[in-house]
């Protein structure tokens, strides 16, 4: 059996701000932009990984969700408590400088971790934590 990652999802509260970050700062390509019933899903991905999509979706993309559940998800997103993704990079320090220069909210400057990577962290415009890791040579 051969199983591969196809899609992952990141909750965002403003697709235009998210696009400015994921497309313009991180350099991901926009693959799809779909609206339905006052909701919007935007699919982005790295040009080097055409078979892996990142879907930027509303915090609770279920049309049957209750208003209370929608509010709870929006509050968790605003606090930065929803998980996002870890990106791999060949140069953590250069990636860090590029994102910081573009105004990214720094959570952690580049540091060598004991588990074999150098990484840094930022918040995206919605508050999600994003990590950028570089495998250490060796």
């Amino acid at each position: 059996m051969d199983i591969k990652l196809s899609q992952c999802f990141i909750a965002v509260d403003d697709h235009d701000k998210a696009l400015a970050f994921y497309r313009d700062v991180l350099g991901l390509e926009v693959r799809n932009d779909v609206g339905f019933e006052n909701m919007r899903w935007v699919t982005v991905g790295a040009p080097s990984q055409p078979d892996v999509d990142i879907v930027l979706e509303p915090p609770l993309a279920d049309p049957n969700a209750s208003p209370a559940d929608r509010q709870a998800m929006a509050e968790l997103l605003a606090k930065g408590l929803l998980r996002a993704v870890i990106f791999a990079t060949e140069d953590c320090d250069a990636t860090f400088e590029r994102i910081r220069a573009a105004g990214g909210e720094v959570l952690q400057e580049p540091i060598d971790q004991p588990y074999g990577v150098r990484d840094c962290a930022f918040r995206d415009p919605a508050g999600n934590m994003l990590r950028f890791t570089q495998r250490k040579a060796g």
Side-chain angles (χ1 to χ4, degrees):
M1 178 170 31
D2 185 19
I3 298 175
K4 297 178 182 177
L5 177 66
S6 172
Q7 297 176 328
C8 63
F9 296 80
I10 298 176
V12 300
D13 56 357
D14 184 319
H15 282 88
D16 294 326
K17 287 181 182 176
L19 275 172
F21 181 78
Y22 287 94
R23 179 193 59 214
D24 302 338
V25 176
L26 299 187
L28 300 179
E29 62 186 12
V30 176
R31 298 182 178 160
N32 211 351
D33 191 338
V34 177
F36 179 72
E37 294 186 6
N38 297 323
M39 288 187 275
R40 183 177 176 193
W41 292 265
V42 177
T43 304
V44 297
S48 61
Q49 290 183 301
D51 56 343
V52 178
D53 293 327
I54 300 168
V55 182
L56 307 175
E57 66 172 356
L60 189 54
D62 180 344
N64 300 314
S66 72
D69 288 344
R70 288 185 192 284
Q71 181 63 33
M73 288 296 288
E75 289 172 7
L76 289 172
L77 178 62
K79 292 178 183 179
L81 295 177
L82 300 181
R83 300 293 294 176
V85 296
I86 299 174
F87 291 95
T89 179
E90 292 182 7
D91 187 338
C92 180
D93 294 272
T95 299
F96 175 82
E97 290 302 331
R98 177 179 171 187
I99 297 170
R100 182 172 64 176
E105 181 185 345
V106 177
L107 292 178
Q108 174 199 301
E109 294 192 11
I111 187 171
D112 291 327
Q113 299 289 1
Y115 44 88
V117 300
R118 182 168 180 79
D119 72 355
C120 62
F122 289 87
R123 286 213 188 282
D124 76 358
N128 295 298
M129 180 179 69
L130 305 179
R131 298 190 79 76
F132 298 85
T133 65
Q134 172 187 347
R135 290 183 190 241
K136 293 177 76 174

